[in-house]
Amino acid sequence: MLSEFDLIKHYFNRDRPARATLGIGDDCALLTPTPGMQMAISSDMLVEGRHFFAGAEPVQLGHKCLAVNLSDLAAMGARPVACTLALALPAAERDWLHGFSTGLFALADAHDCELIGGDTTKGPLNICITVFGELQPGHALRRDAAKVGDDIWISGTLGDARLALAGYLNEVPLDEASLRAAAVRMHAPTPRVELGMLLAQQRVAHAAIDISDGLVGDLGHILARSRVGATLDVDALPAGDVLATRDTALRRAYTAAGGDDYELCFTAPASARAAVLAAAGSVATPVTRVGRIEAEPGLRLVDAAGHALDLKLSSFDHFTS
Ligand code: ADP
Ligand code: MG
């Protein structure tokens, strides 16, 4: 039987910390901020049966629970520095812990994000990560910073994670190969860390948010906080590879309000179009221009011809869904 302390030592405590002044093993970790930098801090909790299916593959779960947190740093434009992990586990199973920590550290190492502490307890599977990032004061891509006339941009593609969920729930018929392909986006989202950092560092973008609950709802947060409105060209939204092969109604619904995408939605002045494309190109992240920030409040959805679309969309909400 693994004790709590063996478990931490074996699966989560690695070599000497590189970034933290003091890492795992004391009452607190010690982080020394880079002089003059601001810290960006965010937590995201994943609960079994709520955010992922019971029996979820542990390597993917380790990846995803850090990915959704790094996505928040990306949406602020911050460079990842460190993270903590609070874990409730029904049992200390070696195979599960090995897989989970492998997935987590692979992504953490790819982004130089050091695990510096956490908490471990027995209980229903529940994973809460807190990430710490750094950015220059004044560079954060805040939700309240969109300006009238800004373009609205999306990184990557949308909707395949939602399509995979629909496949698993038998809401939409999906053959096995399509489900497997779409499910990659659901299980292994790519946090757009480099793009977010560049957009912030180069002062190219104004506002940003990461798309976790569906674009329409998440963009709505930018509009509300910035006290502006927008027109969104739903047919310009970049669909995931699998969703792109489906009919227009499904494509519109899942790109506009699918959820679990972890792409960035950001706004930038029209004068910065070339700079946005150059920044995105330099980190090999595709970006698509999908709309415009306007003074008139509210979000107007239009089709490729500019005609109003009356889509019945709702973003995900844990207490009403
Ligand atoms: P305390 O009782 O003071 O809260 P713990 O005994 O829970 O400390 O944890 C011992 C050390 O291990 C602490 O440094 C804590 O941050 C770290 N730790 C506990 N659980 C985890 C985990 N799941 N991942 C990383 N570090 C952990
Ligand atoms: Mg403790």
Side-chain angles (χ1 to χ4, degrees):
M1 274 291 279
L2 272 177
S3 75
E4 178 188 333
F5 298 103
D6 290 341
L7 182 164
I8 296 165
K9 185 165 165 236
H10 195 76
Y11 293 101
F12 298 115
N13 194 0
R14 303 202 301 176
D15 311 332
R16 236 163 32 85
R19 180 60 175 79
T21 305
L22 181 65
I24 291 173
D26 213 313
D27 296 308
C28 291
L30 297 175
L31 264 185
T32 306
T34 306
M37 297 293 267
Q38 255 175 5
M39 296 225 83
I41 301 163
S42 178
S43 295
D44 250 311
M45 178 156 62
L46 271 73
V47 176
E48 185 178 65
R50 188 73 201 166
H51 300 91
F52 57 91
F53 294 122
E57 206 283 311
V59 179
Q60 288 175 336
L61 199 55
H63 171 98
K64 183 165 181 178
C65 66
L66 181 59
V68 302
N69 277 278
L70 291 176
S71 180
D72 283 317
L73 291 184
M76 216 62 185
R79 174 190 298 283
V81 171
C83 61
T84 61
L85 167 67
L87 193 57
L89 284 175
E93 283 173 19
R94 288 179 192 272
D95 284 354
W96 191 93
L97 283 159
H98 176 73
F100 178 81
S101 57
T102 300
L104 180 95
F105 280 125
L107 186 64
D109 291 347
H111 291 285
D112 253 332
C113 185
E114 194 163 88
L115 181 64
I116 58 168
D119 198 20
T120 306
T121 177
K122 192 165 177 162
L125 185 56
N126 190 325
I127 305 155
C128 182
I129 290 186
T130 299
V131 281
F132 302 82
E134 276 188 349
L135 38 67
Q136 299 262 15
H139 283 196
L141 304 173
R142 296 166 51 134
R143 294 180 184 183
D144 61 6
K147 297 271 177 295
V148 171
D150 278 2
D151 294 320
I152 301 169
W153 296 82
I154 303 288
S155 69
T157 65
L158 303 173
D160 267 1
R162 180 65 182 86
L163 182 61
L165 179 64
Y168 285 126
L169 299 177
N170 287 316
E171 292 172 357
V172 169
L174 262 191
D175 62 77
E176 247 188 77
S178 302
L179 178 57
R180 209 175 317 119
V184 172
R185 293 299 307 272
M186 179 180 177
H187 296 309
T190 305
R192 301 298 188 181
V193 174
E194 290 77 14
L195 177 63
M197 278 167 51
L198 259 192
L199 293 173
Q201 277 164 15
Q202 299 186 348
R203 319 300 314 271
V204 170
H206 284 153
I209 191 167
D210 67 319
I211 305 169
S212 52
D213 298 333
L215 171 61
V216 162
D218 288 327
L219 174 59
H221 296 308
I222 288 184
L223 303 184
R225 296 286 295 269
S226 300
R227 299 171 186 277
V228 292
T231 293
L232 189 67
D233 177 356
V234 175
D235 289 334
L237 296 176
D241 290 344
V242 188
L243 182 59
T245 66
R246 311 303 291 230
D247 63 73
T248 304
L250 196 70
R251 214 188 57 232
R252 285 176 174 165
Y254 286 180
T255 52
D260 235 10
D261 297 300
Y262 301 101
E263 294 294 352
L264 296 183
C265 170
F266 59 96
T267 81
S271 60
R273 277 179 198 171
V276 168
L277 291 171
S282 73
V283 293
T285 304
V287 291
T288 309
R289 196 154 48 81
V290 298
R292 177 67 72 100
I293 298 291
E294 295 158 347
E296 187 188 343
L299 178 59
R300 290 157 290 282
L301 304 179
V302 299
D303 64 13
H307 298 131
L309 277 175
D310 186 21
L311 301 181
K312 297 278 168 278
L313 303 170
S314 58
S315 68
F316 186 77
D317 181 308
H318 279 288
F319 292 98
T320 58
S321 306

